[in-house]
Amino acid sequence: MLKLVWLVPILPLAGVVINGIFGRWVRERAHLLAVGTTGLSFLIALGIFLQVLTGRTLNWDVYSWIPVGDFHATVGFQADPLSAVMMLVVTFVGFLIHVYSVGYMHGDPGYARFFTYMNLFMSSMLILVLANNYLFMFLGWEGVGLCSYLLIGFWYQKQSASDAGKKAFVVNRIGDAGFLLGLFLIWRTFGSLHYAEIFPQVAELHEILAQPSIFGLSLVTWMTLLLFTGAVGKSAQLPLYVWLPDAMEGPTPVSALIHAATMVTAGVYMVARSSALFDAAPVSMTVVATVGALTAVFAATIALVQNDIKRVVAYSTISQLGYMFLGAGVGAYASAIFHLATHAFFKALLFLGSGSVIHGLGGEQDIRRMGGLRKHMPITAWTFLIAALANAGIFPLAGFWSKDQILHAAIASGHVWLWALGAAGAFGTAFYMLRLYFVTFEGESRVDPHVAHHVHESPRVMAVPLIILAVFAFGAGLFGTSPEHSPYYTFVNPVFRAAGEGAAHAGGEGAGHQGPSEFTMALVSVAIAAAGIALAYQMYLRRRELADRMAERFRGAYTLLLNKYWVDEIYNAVFVDFGKWLCHRLWFVDAKGVDGAVNGTSWLTVFASHLSARFDFRGVDGLVNAIADVIQGGSQAFKRLQTGVIQNYLLAMAMGIFVIVSLYFFF
Amino acid sequence: MIPLSHYLILGGIIFSLGVFGALTRRNAIAILMSIELMLNAVNLNFIAFARYLPQTMLQGQVFAIFVIAVAAAEAAVGLAIVLGLYRNFKTVNVDEINLMKW
Amino acid sequence: MTLKLGIFYFLAAFTLWAAAVVVLGKNIVRSAVALIFGFCGMAALYVLLDAEFLAAVQVLIYVGGITILLLFAIMLTSRIGVTTARVVNDQVILSAIAAIGLLVGLIYASTSGIPAMSGPPRLPETAPFLGRALLTTYALPFEAVSVLLLAAMVGAIVLARKE
C-alpha cells in the first residue's frame, strides 16, 4: 500500500497532461478529470496515512535521476508521519478547493487552463512534501513557484495580474537562490542530499559543522540560514513578503489553495524537515523565531486598516506564517506543523468565503461597500465567522490550540520578548479578523444599489466545501490538544525527536518546561483574544464613529498602515529603479563600447587593407619592375659585347683558344 | 741536321705574328695579309713534318698544296668583299664599320 | 754549326723580319711588298726541306697571284701614301697577350714530347710522287678543290662587279 505513494503526485500530473493537451476539446468538462484525480490522490493519501499511523514508514528511491560521479540524486519518496500529515492536508484541502472552483470559475474562458494549472500545482506540492531528498523537494519547490506565477497571472490580460505574477516569481527567486546555496553547502558537507543520509550524520559531524566560517558563523548556521532564506521567500516573511498581497490578483480559489493552505507553508515544512540541522544551529533558530515573530506583528498591524477583503486575509496569512516560524524557531516543530494544518483549514475557509462574497456581489471586493450580508448569505457568513474565530484563537476552535502551543513554547524557551510579540500579534489578529467579519456581514448594508439586487448565496458546489472546512476549522484542534499525549503529537513527535536526538548534545534549544504552566498561558491567550474581539465589536458594530475618529486622531499612523509602510514603494525605488538605472548605464556603456569596438575594428580592417594594398602594389610592382630592370640592365651591359667590329670577335676567339690550349697543356 | 723543333718554333712565331696582325690591324687588306701569313706558317709546319716523319706518301706536302689552293680562293673572295666594303663605306678600316653594333 | 743550320737561321730571320713588317708596317703597300719577301723566304725554307715542287708552287701562286691581287685591292681601296692614320686599333694589348700566350703554348708543344728525329737522309723526287698521290689517293679532295676554285672565281667576279 505504501508503495502506492508515487501515485499521489502522479495522478494530478496525468490530469495536467490531458487537460493541457486536450483542453480545447474538453472545455467545460475539464473539472471532471481535475477534481477526479485530486480526489483519487486524497483517497490514496488517506490510505497511506492510515498505514503510517500503524507505525510503518517508507523511504523509497524509485528512480536514479542524476548519477554523476560523486553526486547521486534520485526520485524518491518518503512516507513518515510528517509527510503523511502534510500530504493529507494538501490533498484534502486541495480537493475541496477544486470542487469549489467548479462553481467559482464557471463560465471563465480559461476554465480548462485553470484546472490544468491547479493540477500541476497539486502535483508539485505533493512532490515537495513526499520527496526523500532535498533535490527532488527542490523540484517540487520550483514547481509550486511556477504554478504560483501561472495562477496569479491567470487573467493575464489584466496588467496588474500579470505584474503580480512576475513579482511573485522574482521575489521567490531571491529566496530560491539562498536555498540553493544552502543545498550546495549541505552537499559539500554531508556528501548527499538525502534526508536519511544527512540527519543521522549531524551528530557525528558536529565538530565540522560547528566550525566558524564566514563572519564567524558556523558552517551549520550558514546552511540553515541559507535554507531559511528560501523559506522567507516562499513563505512570505520579512522582507520577502511583498508578493503575497499582490498575489490576490489571482482567482480566489488560487489564493485559498496556494497562498493560504499549501504553497506558502512549504517553507515551514522545509524548516521542520530540516529540524536536525536547525537544532544544531541555535543562532539560526533565534533568527527564524525572531523573523517569524516580527513578521507576525508587522503583518497584523497592516491588516488592521486594509479595506480589501482579500488583502486583509492575505496579511493575515503572512502573520500566521510568522507564528509558524516562531514555533519552529523555538524548537516546537510539531506545534508549527500543527498550526500549519489548522491554519490551512480556517485560512482556506476565509478565502473561499471571501470568494463567495465577491462572487455573490458580482465582483465587489471593498469592504466599505459591503455590510449586512448575513441575511443574504447565511452559510457564507456562519462559516466565515467560525473561521475568523479560529484564526483569532478562541477556545475550543482549532486555531486556539495550535497558536497557544506555539506561544507557550515561546515563553518556555526563555525569550519572553518573543512571546510578547506573539501576544501582541494575537491581539491584533483577533481584532482585524472580527473587524472584517463585522464590517462585511453585520451592520447596515452599504452595498451598492445596483449590486444589491443580485446578492445571493453561493451555489451548493461552492457552499459544501465551505461547510466541510468549517467543521474541520472547528474541531481539528482536538487532535492536538496536548503537546505530550494527544494523537497528533504522539504521531508526529517521533520525527523530531529522532532527528533531535542526534543533535541533542549539539546544544539544541531544549523546550524545557520552565516558565508559567500551559494552563496559565492558555488563559492569557484567551483573554487577549477576547479583548481584541471586544474592541472590534465596539468600534465596528456598536459605534462606527469610533473607527473614523481614531483614524483622524492617529492620522499619521493610519496612513502609514494603510499604505503598508510604503514597503513596496521603497523596494521599487531602491531595487527596481536602481536596477533600471544601472541597466541603462550599462547599456549605454555597452552600446558605446560595442559600437566603438565594431567601428574601430572595421576602420582598422580597412586601414590595414589599405596598407596591405599599398605594400602589395609596391611590392608586386616593385618586384616585377625590378626583374624587368635587372634584365634590362643586364642586356644594357651585355649588348656592349656586340661592337660590330669583327676584330673584337676575333680577339675573343683568340683568347678562348689561348685559354683552352693552356688548359690542355697544364691539366 | 736541323732539329724539327726549330722549324716548328719558326712556324709558331710566324703564326703568332699573323694572329696579332689579324687582331690589331685596322686595314681590312692588312688583316687578309696576316691571314696569309698564318696559312703560310701552317704550311711550313706540314712540310716540316712531311720531311721529318716517316710517311709513305708525303701526306704533309699534299696537304700543303691543298692549303695553298684554298688560300688562293679565299684571298680572291676576301678581296672582292673588301672592294664591296669600300664601295659602301668609303673606307677599309674595319673599326669604322660597325653597322652591327647594338 | 753546319752550313745548313746557318742558312736556316738566315732564312728564318729574313722571313721573320718580313712578317714583322707585314704586321706592323704603317704603309699598306710596304706591308704588301714585305709579304712578297716573306713568301719568298718561305719558299727558300721549303727548298731547305727538300720540297722543291712546293717551293715553286708557293712562289707561283702566292707571289704571282695573291700578292698581285692584294696590290690591286690596295690600289682600289686606299689612297697611297696616307701614313698618318693609326695602324693598330684599340685592342693591341689584349691581342699581344693572346698572341704571346699562343706562342708560348706552341713553343712548349713543339719542344716537348717530340722525339728528336732526323728522318730519311733525302727525300725522293717529290713532283712525280705528289702527282701520283693527287690523282689516285687524294683524287676526291683534288676534284673538290677544283670546284672550290671555280666557285671562288665566280663569287669573286660577282662580288666585285660594278653595279
Side-chain angles (χ1 to χ4, degrees):
Chain A
M1 180 67 200
L2 277 179
K3 288 249 170 131
L4 288 177
V5 69
W6 67 276
L7 274 177
V8 176
I10 289 299
L11 282 172
L13 203 56
V16 171
V17 172
I18 295 174
N19 269 336
I21 297 177
F22 299 109
R24 203 177 313 154
W25 295 280
V26 178
R27 257 181 293 157
E28 285 301 310
R29 276 183 274 274
H31 63 271
L32 288 175
L33 188 61
V35 175
T37 54
T38 315
L40 211 56
S41 287
F42 167 62
L43 288 173
I44 298 176
L46 193 58
I48 294 174
F49 175 75
L50 293 171
Q51 290 269 295
V52 177
L53 261 184
T54 62
R56 295 183 32 201
T57 58
L58 173 70
N59 186 344
W60 183 33
D61 285 323
V62 176
Y63 169 68
S64 177
W65 182 20
I66 307 177
V68 174
D70 294 347
F71 186 69
H72 198 261
T74 59
V75 168
F77 296 103
Q78 177 162 42
D80 70 345
L82 178 59
S83 50
V85 167
M86 292 294 301
M87 176 177 58
L88 207 58
V89 167
V90 170
T91 51
F92 183 58
V93 176
F95 173 68
L96 288 175
I97 295 180
H98 272 77
V99 171
Y100 178 91
S101 309
V102 174
Y104 191 83
M105 298 299 291
H106 179 77
D108 190 291
Y111 193 71
R113 182 162 59 98
F114 179 81
F115 280 107
T116 311
Y117 292 159
M118 289 289 273
N119 268 11
L120 183 61
F121 171 81
M122 291 297 292
S123 179
S124 305
M125 188 70 203
L126 288 165
I127 288 176
L128 198 157
V129 299
L130 289 172
N132 74 345
N133 62 77
Y134 275 108
L135 196 64
F136 195 40
M137 188 233 279
F138 191 63
L139 180 73
W141 186 278
E142 293 288 297
V144 297
L146 172 69
C147 293
S148 175
Y149 162 76
L150 289 171
L151 284 163
I152 293 173
F154 183 70
W155 292 311
Y156 54 84
Q157 290 93 347
K158 206 163 149 221
Q159 180 67 30
S160 56
S162 65
D163 282 349
K166 268 188 288 183
K167 183 172 180 177
F169 201 85
V170 170
V171 175
N172 241 254
R173 250 311 169 229
I174 299 171
D176 291 347
F179 188 82
L180 265 177
L181 286 174
L183 285 192
F184 294 156
L185 263 183
I186 288 177
W187 187 68
R188 260 305 238 82
T189 315
F190 293 98
S192 164
L193 289 174
H194 282 68
Y195 305 145
E197 290 170 33
I198 297 173
F199 301 139
Q201 280 189 55
V202 173
E204 299 161 26
L205 296 180
H206 168 57
E207 285 80 35
I208 299 175
L209 288 175
Q211 251 175 16
S213 177
I214 310 172
F215 299 135
L217 298 170
S218 70
L219 189 61
V220 70
T221 310
W222 272 107
M223 263 184 227
T224 46
L225 281 179
L226 287 169
L227 287 178
F228 183 57
T229 54
V232 166
K234 187 68 77 186
S235 299
Q237 299 294 292
L238 284 170
L240 296 175
Y241 71 92
V242 290
W243 62 273
L244 205 148
D246 284 12
M248 296 302 116
E249 294 284 340
T252 311
V254 170
S255 308
L257 182 60
I258 299 183
H259 307 126
T262 43
M263 187 187 92
V264 292
T265 57
V268 183
Y269 165 73
M270 189 264 291
V271 171
R273 179 58 82 186
S274 313
S275 58
L277 288 170
F278 278 91
D279 281 339
V283 177
S284 304
M285 288 184 74
T286 316
V287 171
V288 169
T290 314
V291 169
L294 286 174
T295 309
V297 175
F298 180 80
T301 55
I302 299 180
L304 293 175
V305 300
Q306 294 299 313
N307 289 318
D308 181 321
I309 190 171
K310 284 179 72 175
R311 291 275 146 128
V312 176
V313 185
Y315 282 106
S316 174
T317 308
I318 300 173
S319 179
Q320 296 304 309
L321 288 167
Y323 277 101
M324 293 180 219
F325 281 111
L326 172 58
V330 295
Y333 300 102
S335 302
I337 297 294
F338 189 43
H339 194 58
L340 191 159
T342 56
H343 173 264
F345 294 125
F346 59 71
K347 200 42 69 62
L349 182 50
L350 282 170
F351 269 113
L352 294 186
S354 315
S356 185
V357 168
I358 295 167
H359 181 88
L361 289 179
E364 180 59 67
Q365 289 188 231
D366 194 325
I367 58 175
R368 293 173 290 196
R369 286 198 277 275
M370 298 178 190
L373 290 176
R374 181 153 62 86
K375 297 188 262 303
H376 305 282
M377 324 171 125
I379 300 178
T380 308
W382 280 107
T383 52
F384 199 92
L385 180 60
I386 291 173
L389 288 174
N391 199 355
I394 297 297
F395 178 92
L397 278 68
F400 162 75
W401 301 102
S402 50
K403 189 188 297 188
D404 183 59
Q405 279 149 10
I406 289 176
L407 288 177
H408 177 76
I411 205 168
S413 72
H415 300 297
V416 181
W417 49 280
L418 283 176
W419 175 86
L421 285 171
F427 177 75
T429 306
F431 177 78
Y432 67 68
M433 268 289 126
L434 270 298
R435 162 181 177 263
L436 189 61
Y437 174 74
F438 289 138
V439 173
T440 308
F441 292 99
E442 300 291 345
E444 71 282 5
S445 173
R446 295 178 302 284
V447 177
D448 188 65
H450 294 289
V451 180
H453 292 298
H454 310 295
V455 173
H456 58 279
E457 180 59 86
S458 307
R460 249 209 323 234
V461 73
M462 286 168 66
V464 168
L466 289 178
I467 297 172
I468 298 177
L469 281 174
V471 170
F472 276 89
F474 196 99
L478 297 171
F479 285 109
T481 49
S482 161
E484 274 83 49
H485 309 301
S486 54
Y488 168 75
Y489 278 98
T490 43
F491 181 53
V492 168
N493 265 336
V495 176
F496 302 113
R497 200 170 301 136
E501 258 166 15
H505 76 282
E509 275 296 324
H513 288 289
Q514 316 111 319
S517 74
E518 288 175 41
F519 188 64
T520 323
M521 298 317 301
L523 281 180
V524 174
S525 304
V526 174
I528 293 173
I533 294 174
L535 188 61
Y537 182 72
Q538 276 290 88
M539 284 177 71
Y540 289 98
L541 209 51
R542 270 297 148 99
R543 308 207 281 175
R544 290 305 318 280
E545 335 76 70
L546 257 183
D548 302 320
R549 264 205 289 163
M550 278 198 77
E552 273 303 309
R553 269 255 292 260
F554 303 103
R555 167 141 297 218
Y558 181 75
T559 324
L560 184 68
L561 292 178
L562 190 61
N563 284 301
K564 314 159 277 165
Y565 297 92
W566 283 291
V567 172
D568 278 323
E569 286 74 10
I570 295 172
Y571 278 3
N572 218 27
V574 172
F575 295 110
V576 177
D577 286 343
F578 171 70
K580 281 199 219 166
W581 174 85
L582 190 67
C583 285
H584 201 80
R585 289 270 134 238
L586 288 175
W587 166 84
F588 184 75
V589 165
D590 201 27
K592 288 285 166 187
V594 170
D595 261 2
V598 170
N599 285 351
T601 322
S602 74
W603 175 85
L604 202 67
T605 312
V606 169
F607 179 71
S609 66
H610 267 138
L611 275 182
S612 148
R614 203 179 302 170
F615 174 77
D616 209 19
F617 269 133
R618 291 252 188 89
V620 171
D621 268 3
L623 193 63
V624 170
N625 288 351
I627 292 174
D629 286 342
V630 160
I631 293 177
Q632 210 171 12
S635 70
Q636 291 279 14
F638 278 107
K639 74 178 176 188
R640 279 170 223 274
L641 279 176
Q642 308 273 350
T643 53
V645 178
I646 297 182
Q647 281 173 320
N648 297 343
Y649 307 153
L650 279 174
L651 174 62
M653 268 171 49
M655 292 297 274
I657 293 172
F658 162 50
V659 168
I660 290 173
V661 164
S662 44
L663 280 176
Y664 179 73
F665 271 129
F666 296 119
F667 292 104
Chain B
M1 222 47 254
I2 305 168
L4 175 59
S5 57
H6 282 57
Y7 284 105
L8 296 181
I9 289 173
L10 177 62
I13 295 173
I14 295 175
F15 185 77
S16 303
L17 278 169
V19 166
F20 180 72
L23 285 159
T24 50
R25 287 300 296 251
R26 293 172 71 219
N27 198 322
I29 300 173
I31 294 175
L32 282 167
M33 287 198 271
S34 306
I35 291 171
E36 296 301 330
L37 267 184
M38 282 197 268
L39 287 165
N40 264 286
V42 168
N43 266 356
L44 185 61
N45 257 21
F46 274 126
I47 294 168
F49 272 114
R51 172 72 178 83
Y52 282 89
L53 253 48
Q55 293 171 12
T56 50
M57 260 183 258
L58 292 175
Q59 287 96 322
Q61 292 192 8
V62 170
F63 215 89
I65 287 183
F66 283 124
V67 169
I68 291 171
V70 172
E74 165 240 328
V77 174
L79 287 165
I81 291 173
V82 169
L83 278 174
L85 263 181
Y86 182 74
R87 275 196 212 134
N88 275 313
F89 294 98
K90 297 289 172 267
T91 180
V92 282
N93 288 334
V94 292
D95 52 356
E96 290 168 22
I97 303 171
N98 53 4
L99 274 188
M100 293 290 275
K101 187 176 164 136
W102 58 267
Chain C
M1 168 134 99
T2 59
L3 186 64
K4 228 176 175 186
L5 196 61
I7 294 174
F8 169 74
Y9 278 131
F10 168 71
L11 285 172
F14 179 72
T15 313
L16 280 175
W17 172 82
V21 174
V22 167
V23 170
L24 299 168
K26 277 206 171 64
N27 195 336
I28 191 79
V29 177
R30 195 172 288 186
S31 299
V33 171
L35 194 62
I36 293 173
F37 284 124
F39 288 153
C40 293
M42 295 294 284
L45 280 166
Y46 292 168
V47 169
L48 210 53
L49 282 169
D50 299 334
E52 318 86 23
F53 182 68
L54 255 98
V57 166
Q58 167 101 346
V59 173
L60 262 174
I61 294 180
Y62 265 118
V63 178
I66 288 177
T67 40
I68 303 297
L69 202 53
L70 280 168
L71 281 165
F72 267 122
I74 291 169
M75 298 295 173
L76 285 170
T77 62
S78 61
R79 278 171 283 164
I80 309 166
V82 173
T83 54
T84 51
R86 276 176 52 210
V87 172
V88 295
N89 60 15
D90 296 324
Q91 57 185 31
V92 188
I93 302 166
L94 284 172
S95 316
I97 294 168
I100 291 171
L102 208 55
L103 181 60
V104 166
L106 284 167
I107 292 173
Y108 178 72
S110 310
T111 53
S112 61
I114 299 177
M117 46 193 110
S118 54
R122 182 155 165 80
L123 281 179
E125 284 182 356
T126 57
F129 214 83
L130 280 172
R132 221 172 297 144
L134 276 174
L135 289 169
T136 54
T137 320
Y138 296 105
L140 184 57
F142 180 69
E143 300 301 329
V145 167
S146 331
V147 173
L148 173 70
L149 285 167
L150 174 65
M153 235 181 347
V154 170
I157 290 170
V158 165
L159 281 170
R161 199 167 50 160
K162 248 208 164 60
E163 297 292 329

